[in-house]
Amino acid sequence: EVQLVESGGGLVQPGGSLRLSCTASGFAFSRDAINWVRQPPGKGVEWVATISNGGSHTYYTDSVKGRFTISRNNAKNTVYLEMNSLKSEDTGLYYCVKNCARGWSRCDYRGQGTQVTVSS
């Protein structure tokens, strides 16, 4: 059974930092690209970042470039999202997902999510 388990969310002030983790099991982790998406309150799911299976290629939505860093440790079956200089608009439920050919809100595999709240 494929499982993706996110952790690391919380309440942080604007300008602060958080590090999210996504631990995977039930599939050949090192063969798959992994993505982070988020869902702001009252809005749809939006893509945040992607990392290739080996970790050598990373991609970001424009609004987080220069502030967020996606990385992975294939020996630990874990993907990370380092978030710095957080803004209120980064608030949302963050998910790690894979197999999203039908769209970011219709991925075949998704964790339970971890809440990130940026507020003073």
Side-chain angles (χ1 to χ4, degrees):
E1 178 189 5
V2 172
Q3 286 194 322
L4 300 168
V5 180
E6 302 94 337
S7 62
L11 173 64
V12 63
Q13 292 187 342
S17 299
L18 282 174
R19 187 195 198 202
L20 306 184
S21 298
C22 169
T23 301
S25 61
F27 64 100
F29 180 77
S30 63
R31 294 183 182 178
D32 282 357
I34 302 293
N35 315 278
W36 284 98
V37 300
R38 65 187 178 189
Q39 185 164 20
K43 297 184 179 181
V45 173
E46 59 185 38
W47 169 70
V48 176
T50 295
I51 188 165
S52 61
N53 62 323
S56 58
H57 300 286
T58 57
Y59 310 90
Y60 302 91
T61 192
D62 285 347
S63 64
V64 310
K65 284 180 182 176
R67 300 188 298 121
F68 289 13
T69 302
I70 189 171
S71 62
R72 67 191 294 162
N73 184 330
N74 283 350
K76 295 184 177 181
N77 279 16
T78 302
V79 173
Y80 306 97
L81 187 67
E82 184 76 36
M83 306 186 297
N84 298 313
S85 302
L86 283 162
K87 306 176 181 179
S88 58
E89 51 262 44
D90 295 317
T91 293
L93 196 54
Y94 282 68
Y95 301 93
C96 63
V97 295
K98 77 180 197 79
N99 295 21
C100 303
R102 298 177 296 159
W104 298 114
S105 61
R106 301 179 67 187
C107 300
D108 290 341
Y109 302 103
R110 189 184 79 173
Q112 83 290 348
T114 187
Q115 178 67 40
V116 172
T117 302
V118 184
S119 175
S120 55

